[in-house]
Amino acid sequence: MNLEKYLSVTPEIQEAVARGKPVVALESTILSHGMPFPENVEFAHKVEEIVRGEGAIPATTAIIGGKLKVGLTPEELDIMCKGEGVGKVSRRDVATYLVTGQTGATTVATTMLIASLAGVKIFATGGIGGVHRNGQYTMDISADLQEFANTPVAVVTAGAKQILDIGRTLEYLETYGVPVLGFQTDEFPAFYCKSSGYKLDYNCKNEEEVARIMKTKWDLGLKGGVVIGNPIPDEYALDFKEMESVIDEAIRMADEKGIRGKNITPFLLATIKDMTKGVSFASNLQLAYNNARVASRIAVEYSKLD
Ligand code: PSU
Ligand code: MN
């Protein structure tokens, strides 16, 4: 099957992938549904600059004009940041968006899918989706987790948002055989907070070790991705207990308003931002920058292995 009909990769990224040079995928849901306009415009550009500063090429993904886009122009980034009429696209929505020509922001799941179609192996996000609290009753489990089970992309994340059930999220990943690596940490990080109380089996000492584990997994023909938990830097980390009460209240509000499905994550992020008077948002920006930095360094190490 010729993918050209559906896939539009910038020449710079195509060339880099063909030569095995470092490329880092970036998502667009964090822009359209995770952060307010116009602050997200500065973020979108700065995160790409960080990737370039580390010697890698940024590949922000989105669905625009009936194409899966890998690498966006400044105008396209602007469309995603304004977010007007931009849907949140999970794996199940991809074909529909291509046929109808709707503009779609890609989640972690969809960004992994598109990155792998373009030959990109590494992706930096903010936080991955997971099993929602009470997910054992509601069955609200992010499609991100199934993508990790199936799609060969490594994702650098500041852990799972405390709005989720972190324990069940880790159990789910274990069941599907997904390696969860701590990057210089013994614990899976909790997004705004450095630690979640959940211990990990592997504390990777540096980027090279992560790159070698990724390569070994895929050399063996093991399918699926890799989760790399990279804690938020000390100076921006928030207190777990304080955040716990804010999050409980935000979840209660979502419940009361009957917010469901794909709207829950954006609602909680926006509500928590308001409740913390923007403190959580400043942390959100910094953890995402930090993930872009580490992902780029891993991409550089990975490119030396082949
Ligand atoms: N992390 C952030 N901001 C976000 C998200 C994650 O810091 O906006 C998005 C990601 O795109 C992730 C999605 O894939 O939330 C998960 O949504 P859901 O829980 O509906 O699967
Ligand atoms: Mn969900």
Side-chain angles (χ1 to χ4, degrees), residues 96-169:
T96 309
Y97 270 66
L98 288 180
V99 169
T100 59
Q102 295 174 82
T103 307
T106 55
T107 61
V108 168
T110 325
T111 304
M112 288 174 74
L113 170 66
I114 297 172
S116 83
L117 292 176
V120 177
K121 295 271 169 224
I122 300 162
F123 159 27
T125 183
I128 58 170
V131 180
H132 279 257
R133 296 190 192 188
N134 295 315
Q136 69 274 35
Y137 305 116
T138 62
M139 289 187 68
D140 189 353
I141 298 170
S142 177
D144 292 355
L145 299 186
Q146 271 302 307
E147 211 62 45
F148 278 108
N150 292 299
T151 302
V153 173
V155 182
V156 179
T157 170
K161 276 166 293 233
Q162 226 176 319
I163 59 176
L164 301 170
D165 183 331
I166 298 175
R168 285 192 173 86
T169 299

Side-chain angles (χ1 to χ4, degrees), residues 3-295:
L3 278 175
E4 249 168 57
K5 190 173 162 198
Y6 305 113
L7 191 61
S8 162
V9 185
T10 65
E12 184 192 27
I13 295 168
Q14 262 182 49
E15 196 245 20
V17 169
R19 290 166 177 255
K21 289 199 229 156
V23 179
V24 174
L26 300 165
E27 60 158 313
S28 47
T29 291
I30 195 170
L31 304 176
S32 306
H33 302 284
M35 292 181 179
F37 180 80
E39 289 93 323
N40 54 4
V41 178
E42 195 194 331
F43 170 81
H45 290 278
K46 192 163 166 197
V47 80
E48 293 205 350
E49 280 161 29
I50 288 171
V51 172
R52 286 193 189 278
E54 295 291 338
I57 293 163
T60 306
T61 67
I63 302 182
I64 300 173
K67 293 266 189 185
L68 306 172
K69 294 267 186 185
V70 182
L72 302 185
T73 63
E75 294 72 34
E76 288 167 336
L77 274 182
D78 220 51
I79 292 171
M80 302 319 289
C81 288
K82 286 205 176 93
E84 282 161 27
V86 176
K88 176 175 161 186
V89 175
S90 193
R91 169 179 268 265
R92 66 170 182 175
D93 310 303
V94 169
T96 309
Y97 270 66
L98 288 180
V99 169
T100 59
Q102 295 174 82
T103 307
T106 55
T107 61
V108 168
T110 325
T111 304
M112 288 174 74
L113 170 66
I114 297 172
S116 83
L117 292 176
V120 177
K121 295 271 169 224
I122 300 162
F123 159 27
T125 183
I128 58 170
V131 180
H132 279 257
R133 296 190 192 188
N134 295 315
Q136 69 274 35
Y137 305 116
T138 62
M139 289 187 68
D140 189 353
I141 298 170
S142 177
D144 292 355
L145 299 186
Q146 271 302 307
E147 211 62 45
F148 278 108
N150 292 299
T151 302
V153 173
V155 182
V156 179
T157 170
K161 276 166 293 233
Q162 226 176 319
I163 59 176
L164 301 170
D165 183 331
I166 298 175
R168 285 192 173 86
T169 299
L170 292 172
E171 290 294 344
Y172 193 103
L173 290 167
E174 181 188 2
T175 301
Y176 282 94
V178 180
V180 181
L181 309 176
F183 185 73
Q184 297 168 350
T185 179
D186 290 321
E187 272 186 44
F188 196 56
F191 202 66
Y192 305 119
C193 312
K194 279 194 94 80
S195 56
S196 63
Y198 290 93
K199 288 261 181 276
L200 293 176
D201 294 335
Y202 306 103
N203 179 340
C204 290
K205 55 184 181 301
N206 55 37
E207 290 85 354
E208 189 217 345
E209 189 178 6
V210 175
R212 286 176 51 215
I213 292 170
M214 289 160 51
K215 179 155 180 2
T216 303
K217 169 173 168 148
W218 294 325
D219 277 352
L220 290 170
L222 295 173
K223 78 167 184 172
V226 177
V227 176
I228 300 149
N230 181 37
I232 184 170
D234 278 329
E235 55 273 41
Y236 302 106
L238 304 182
D239 183 75
F240 194 84
K241 281 226 177 72
E242 266 168 46
M243 285 311 287
E244 192 73 12
S245 59
V246 171
I247 286 163
D248 282 346
E249 175 63 10
I251 290 176
R252 204 191 51 71
M253 282 167 70
D255 232 29
E256 203 177 271
K257 288 182 193 276
I259 311 257
R260 300 254 184 287
K262 63 162 79 176
N263 297 322
I264 289 182
T265 300
F267 174 85
L268 292 177
L269 286 172
T271 306
I272 292 165
K273 173 177 181 278
D274 290 345
M275 288 171 73
T276 61
K277 302 194 173 54
V279 171
S280 69
F281 181 60
S283 293
N284 197 342
L285 292 174
Q286 294 300 329
L287 64 85
Y289 293 147
N290 189 43
N291 291 342
R293 205 170 295 121
V294 169

